[in-house]
Amino acid sequence: MEARQESENATSRRDARAREIVLTSLTVGLAVTPKFELQNYARIKSSRRAAAHADRMEAAAISAIAPQLAQRFVAFAVFSGEIVNHWQIVEPTVREALIAVPVSERILLAKGEIDTRNEIAKRIFEAVDQSFRLVALPAMPANNPGGWWALAFEQEYGKPKPGGTLPV
């Protein structure tokens, strides 16, 4: 009984730590996003030509930013119902969360406002957390071999099945 409870506590600590790391990673992801992409996302118009294509530029910026931020969930197995998936399944949710951010906050983000960056990262994380069940994968070893998360996913949940999970 005690061993089971210790195992559950260790898993919940692992999940909490992984969530904290991903939230920080999302914030960093927004911080390192190229300024022109953030300006396009915020619809900041620097020329008449840009103003004429603001909708397309905004859509292109969201299409560029969403996969980068979705990849920050690589440390999780993502459950949609009873089906386990890799991080790619969260990209549409990240995209929707980015679209839902008001333009006024996007402008502050493009200007480098740290509190706004943290708030947007938190909203993205909460949107994904509400849409899916996130389960942290085992910790990465110190020597950090390439493809570790894919290997950890395979060890925990088996090889991806056609139609059941997305490929790595």
Side-chain angles (χ1 to χ4, degrees):
M1 180 77 167
E2 287 180 24
R4 181 175 176 224
Q5 187 173 8
E6 285 180 27
S7 174
E8 288 175 4
N9 286 341
T11 301
S12 66
R13 280 193 305 266
R14 180 177 75 185
D15 286 350
R17 181 71 179 135
R19 289 170 188 277
E20 180 182 320
I21 289 170
V22 169
L23 186 56
T24 302
S25 181
L26 285 169
T27 303
V28 170
L30 287 169
V32 299
T33 299
K35 188 171 185 168
F36 76 91
E37 285 182 356
L38 291 176
Q39 289 174 339
N40 289 341
Y41 172 59
R43 301 174 137 238
I44 296 175
K45 303 161 183 96
S46 58
S47 68
R48 286 186 192 169
R49 183 176 182 193
H53 301 289
D55 289 340
R56 279 189 265 157
M57 293 172 72
E58 176 190 17
I62 290 171
S63 293
I65 296 169
Q68 294 171 9
L69 296 179
Q71 190 172 8
R72 306 293 175 145
F73 289 89
V74 71
F76 288 99
V78 183
F79 284 84
S80 177
E82 293 301 314
I83 299 173
V84 64
N85 297 284
H86 289 282
W87 61 268
Q88 293 95 331
I89 194 85
V90 304
E91 186 178 335
T93 306
V94 171
R95 184 180 312 272
E96 290 172 14
L98 287 170
I99 291 169
V101 174
V103 174
S104 60
E105 290 183 27
R106 295 178 189 189
I107 292 170
L108 292 173
L109 175 66
K111 291 181 178 180
E113 175 66 37
I114 295 172
D115 292 336
T116 303
R117 184 184 314 142
N118 294 340
E119 183 62 32
I120 291 172
K122 187 186 292 185
R123 284 187 200 166
I124 292 168
F125 184 82
E126 288 172 356
V128 171
D129 197 33
Q130 289 175 2
S131 299
F132 302 99
R133 184 168 54 99
L134 302 172
V135 176
L137 294 171
M140 189 180 306
N143 61 0
N144 192 8
W148 166 255
W149 294 118
L151 179 64
F153 184 92
E154 190 174 307
Q155 288 176 348
E156 288 286 316
Y157 302 102
K159 288 197 179 259
K161 296 165 187 66
T165 61
L166 295 175
V168 176

